[in-house]
Amino acid sequence: MQNNDLSRTAFAAFAPVVWGSTYVVTTELLPAGHPLFAGLLRALPAGLVALAFTRTLPRGSWWWRAGALGVLNIGLFFPFLFIAAERLPGGVAATLGAAQPLVVALLAVGVLKESPSAWRCAWGVVGVVGVGLVVLGPAAGFDLVGVLAGLGGAATMALGVTLTKKWGRPAGVGPTAFAGWQLTAGGLFLVPVTFLVEGPPPAVGPAAVIGYLWLGGVGGLLAYVLWFRAITTLPVTSVSVLGLLSPMVAALLGVVVLGQTLGPVQLTGFALALAAIVASQRPAPVLARGVLR
């Protein structure tokens, strides 16, 4: 891997690392029962800040493209994420989300016309198994709505990531403006949905304010600027596998913040997930390329 690609990968990894805090922040700081409101506050203020800072609006076909990407990557993904985080144990939600690289690998064949990659699919499966070993325990529960939300989040973001790679970024438009378009579009999509489904906003105390600021500023604007920049400059399947870092960080925060413990099984899962992340950033071996790239 060249130094430039290594640097871009490191910056891209920042996003899923920060997103790994979503589970702890949602359960410990945010008012319960308002996943759509949490998604709205994570998206719209950050998007408007980015637009005000860059003063760059879409042009031509990029109006509908930015809207479509915003709905997929933000407007639908955020509610699915918060619903899964509220209705499922963090481990179950994280394992469902870890399926995203496999969905991206399949979409890359149909949408991006890439050759099937047995190498990346195999490591994607290893990554899901590793994450499952890290975060799933005997007390894991499977709420149907939560499971569907987790799978829906993985599917919508996988499609959004793939289309982001297909369409690229308009010439002369920086990653901050590009992220701002999508965060704003996703936030605007969430406004009527949030108030129709959840009604009036919940009471927001000091802890919730801190949580929303973290999710919107660091986990929203900054993380998505780096994430979308990576998608347009690196192989999409390699970037998507970095998402495995999110549940791993969530598990570590469970140890540090919530006093949870990690045993031999969890540590084995960590090793498998890390191996999947590293292997997916490298080209397939010659023998593997000879069969299926």
Side-chain angles (χ1 to χ4, degrees):
M1 183 182 294
Q2 298 180 348
N3 289 337
N4 285 342
D5 285 351
L6 183 60
S7 175
R8 290 170 184 158
T9 300
F11 278 114
F14 174 85
V17 166
V18 171
W19 294 337
S21 67
T22 300
Y23 302 106
V24 169
V25 172
T26 299
T27 57
E28 300 301 311
L29 298 180
L30 303 188
H34 292 272
L36 296 178
F37 184 72
L40 172 61
L41 285 195
R42 186 177 184 181
L44 189 56
L48 294 176
V49 167
L51 292 183
F53 178 75
T54 60
R55 298 184 180 181
T56 303
L57 294 176
R59 294 183 179 180
S61 63
W62 271 103
W63 279 104
W64 71 264
R65 287 184 177 183
L69 294 178
V71 169
L72 289 170
N73 288 322
I74 310 295
L76 289 175
F77 175 68
F78 279 8
F80 282 144
L81 174 68
F82 285 105
I83 290 170
E86 282 200 348
R87 298 185 69 102
L88 296 171
V92 179
T95 304
L96 293 172
Q100 185 200 132
L102 295 175
V103 182
V104 170
L106 293 174
L107 289 173
V109 176
V111 177
L112 303 179
K113 308 304 180 185
E114 294 184 0
S115 300
S117 175
W119 172 259
R120 298 196 190 283
C121 285
W123 280 111
V125 172
V126 171
V128 173
V129 171
V131 169
L133 291 177
V134 172
V135 297
L136 288 179
F142 292 88
D143 173 83
L144 178 59
V145 174
V147 169
L148 292 176
L151 293 174
T156 54
M157 192 170 186
L159 180 56
V161 164
T162 306
L163 289 177
T164 301
K165 183 65 177 181
K166 178 179 178 65
W167 292 334
R169 194 170 70 228
V173 175
T176 302
F178 192 57
W181 295 353
Q182 297 190 49
L183 286 164
T184 302
L188 291 174
F189 170 83
L190 283 171
V191 170
V193 177
T194 298
F195 290 99
L196 283 174
V197 174
E198 295 183 352
V204 177
V209 170
I210 294 173
Y212 289 130
L213 287 175
W214 171 261
L215 292 177
V218 181
L221 181 56
L222 179 57
Y224 274 101
V225 168
L226 297 175
W227 185 248
F228 291 135
R229 178 177 179 269
I231 292 171
T232 55
T233 57
L234 293 171
V236 67
T237 48
S238 298
V239 174
S240 66
V241 173
L242 293 175
L244 297 177
L245 289 168
S246 181
M248 295 169 67
V249 170
L252 288 176
L253 288 176
V255 173
V256 175
V257 179
L258 304 179
Q260 299 170 352
T261 58
L262 296 177
V265 173
Q266 287 78 26
L267 294 176
T268 300
F270 258 101
L272 289 175
L274 284 174
I277 292 169
V278 173
S280 297
Q281 306 311 308
R282 306 187 65 83
V286 175
L287 289 177
R289 285 200 297 266
V291 182
L292 281 178
R293 298 180 63 188

